[in-house]
Amino acid sequence: MRTAIDNKLSYIKNPVTGLTFTAEKRWKDIRVNDDGTVVITYARDGISPQEKKLIEKMIAETLSTLVPEDKLSLMSVSDSSADVYRAVGGETTVAPAAAAQIKTGHAGPAAKKPVPGVGKIIAIGSGKGGVGKSTFTVNLACSLARAGKKVGIIDADIYGPSVPMLMGRRKDKPMASPEKKIIPIEAHGIRFMSFGLFVEENDPVIWRGPMLGGVLNQFLFDTDWNGIDYLFIDLPPGTGDVQLSMVQNTHVDGVIIISTPQDVALLDATKGLEMFRKLNLPIIGMVENMSSFICSKCGEEHFLFGHGGVEKAVETLGVSFLGKVPLELELRQSADAGNPYMANPAYEGRPVARAFQSVAGRVEQFFNPGAPNDAAGKTGLFSKIFGR
């Protein structure tokens, strides 16, 4: 049993440094008693109370298949009591007593780290599922790649990863570099990483928050993203553990919110937007996805999910409107086939292609204000790229 415990604990990481506890030599004692109880003692130097709570929850969940919760005892030690006191924001000198206070509301941002080798990190969220966010992310990435940018995608939806299918790489398995870095899969000029590459498609992922955070940290900091201009983080729906751990631990340069025009989608998208605002992240703007459907036979435009909902909402929310992406049969077909719409030059000039090029141009302009609007959407640029 001791060997199995050691193996599982070897994956526990320090959220401050990103290194394993084993590498940092933090395990001080691991004892399995005759009555089945397990006592684990570790060094908590430099670890705050919030991080200590997260670590101990992660340890308990990691060992849950081996040790029942009522049989596990966790203890921490520190070489310096002053170090523990500083970890909670105190000083090493004695201070007069003050009234105790409880902090409520949203947690403050943790120390943020840049991802080595990456220019800009953009989180793409929706607050709600079913609005086409992953398809949008893949096609926006392809739009920027066609314009000469080096682009990567992290599929952060651990429970429902879809990027491998959208990129046509459902059976690929990532390899490791000599430096022990994960090598992302490349397709259509895009590098991407997804948990879907590590599990079978029909296998459910039954994990809790801390375990998800560990995997996503590996996707960010243990993956070779060197040379990437834009790294998109395709966030899952909601405002929970994944969103918080990704944006609080990582230096995110901007956020794009996706919504369909209907009120029920806008309600959740607004919640997602407000979460990012509370975390003090720059909002690039909102996109209205599935804005309309143009019949290929009669040419009539149909507003299946309402009309102009996002365009009206941005005025109240005080954010930029990045554009509308209409529905098109070929957009759905290309997604199912693993051949992204914007990776196919045959669709250039069609409404969907123009919409993605326009959004790509506005993203470029957000980070480079001097760039002309719709820079990535100029027909001449893509004509040169594809020799048309």
Side-chain angles (χ1 to χ4, degrees):
M1 184 177 181
R2 171 60 191 273
T3 301
I5 290 174
D6 288 346
N7 288 338
K8 284 187 174 291
L9 291 179
S10 67
Y11 293 97
I12 300 297
K13 286 190 174 185
N14 182 349
V16 180
T17 65
L19 300 175
T20 65
F21 267 36
T22 302
E24 292 184 342
K25 295 182 171 52
R26 286 185 178 270
W27 301 120
K28 297 301 181 183
D29 185 44
I30 301 173
R31 187 169 68 255
V32 181
N33 297 321
D34 293 337
D35 62 355
T37 59
V38 175
V39 181
I40 298 174
T41 306
Y42 66 94
R44 59 84 50 86
D45 304 77
I47 293 174
S48 71
Q50 292 83 4
E51 290 153 354
K52 177 178 182 291
K53 183 177 179 181
L54 174 65
I55 289 165
E56 294 188 353
K57 183 178 180 182
M58 192 182 305
I59 292 172
E61 291 184 345
T62 300
L63 297 179
S64 62
T65 57
L66 296 175
V67 186
E69 188 174 352
D70 61 346
K71 296 285 187 180
L72 179 64
S73 296
L74 299 176
M75 303 175 64
S76 62
V77 296
S78 177
D79 291 335
S80 170
S81 60
D83 177 81
V84 177
Y85 192 53
R86 280 194 297 268
V88 301
E91 302 295 337
T92 55
T93 57
V94 177
Q101 293 183 344
I102 297 176
K103 293 183 179 180
T104 60
H106 292 266
K112 297 176 183 288
K113 296 188 293 182
V115 177
V118 173
K120 302 295 182 183
I121 297 178
I122 300 174
I124 299 185
S126 62
K128 180 178 176 60
V131 297
K133 179 176 51 55
S134 295
T135 301
F136 171 86
T137 301
V138 165
N139 282 288
L140 179 60
C142 287
S143 300
L144 287 164
R146 284 173 61 174
K149 301 297 179 183
K150 301 295 184 183
V151 187
I153 299 173
I154 290 178
D155 183 357
D157 193 345
I158 301 298
Y159 296 120
S162 57
V163 172
M165 177 179 178
L166 294 170
M167 298 293 278
R169 292 292 188 271
R170 299 166 73 170
K171 301 298 182 182
D172 286 23
K173 300 297 179 185
M175 306 297 289
S177 70
E179 296 76 26
K180 306 300 182 184
K181 288 276 191 178
I182 303 171
I183 302 173
I185 301 299
E186 185 165 350
H188 310 290
I190 308 293
R191 283 187 268 169
F192 75 94
M193 185 52 56
S194 170
F195 196 63
L197 299 168
F198 296 88
V199 295
E200 296 300 322
E201 287 188 347
N202 295 328
D203 289 345
V205 178
I206 309 173
W207 283 11
R208 289 183 176 174
M211 299 175 73
L212 302 179
V215 169
L216 294 173
N217 272 336
Q218 285 189 284
F219 286 176
L220 283 162
F221 302 110
D222 294 342
T223 302
D224 183 7
W225 296 115
N226 191 47
I228 291 291
D229 296 312
Y230 291 107
L231 179 61
F232 290 109
I233 301 175
D234 179 20
L235 292 172
T239 55
D241 285 340
V242 173
Q243 288 83 351
L244 289 173
S245 58
M246 288 289 280
V247 301
Q248 286 187 316
N249 297 331
T250 312
H251 179 79
V252 176
D253 297 282
V255 178
I256 296 174
I257 302 294
I258 311 299
S259 178
T260 55
Q262 63 195 118
D263 291 343
V264 66
L266 277 167
L267 181 65
D268 289 337
T270 301
K271 292 177 183 176
L273 174 64
E274 293 304 324
M275 178 195 72
F276 293 122
R277 276 180 164 163
K278 289 181 184 295
L279 294 170
N280 297 317
L281 296 183
I283 308 298
I284 298 173
M286 293 185 71
V287 172
E288 184 173 283
N289 202 25
M290 308 184 199
S291 62
S292 64
F293 171 71
I294 300 176
C295 178
S296 59
K297 293 184 177 179
C298 68
E300 185 176 351
E301 186 174 17
H302 303 274
F303 299 97
L304 305 178
F305 299 105
H307 180 46
V310 175
E311 195 167 9
K312 296 172 185 175
V314 295
E315 298 177 4
T316 303
L317 296 170
V319 298
S320 297
F321 181 62
L322 299 181
K324 304 177 181 180
V325 179
L327 281 166
E328 191 174 299
L329 178 61
E330 288 78 6
L331 182 61
R332 192 273 302 166
Q333 291 173 332
S334 64
D336 289 347
N339 183 26
Y341 186 98
M342 291 305 294
N344 191 339
Y347 298 137
E348 186 180 348
R350 293 170 70 158
V352 169
R354 291 199 306 270
F356 277 114
Q357 291 165 9
S358 177
V359 174
R362 288 185 168 91
V363 171
E364 281 269 73
Q365 192 181 46
F366 180 84
F367 295 110
N368 303 285
N373 197 32
D374 292 351
K378 295 293 185 182
T379 304
L381 174 59
F382 283 94
S383 296
K384 290 178 182 178
I385 292 173
F386 294 105
R388 297 178 62 180

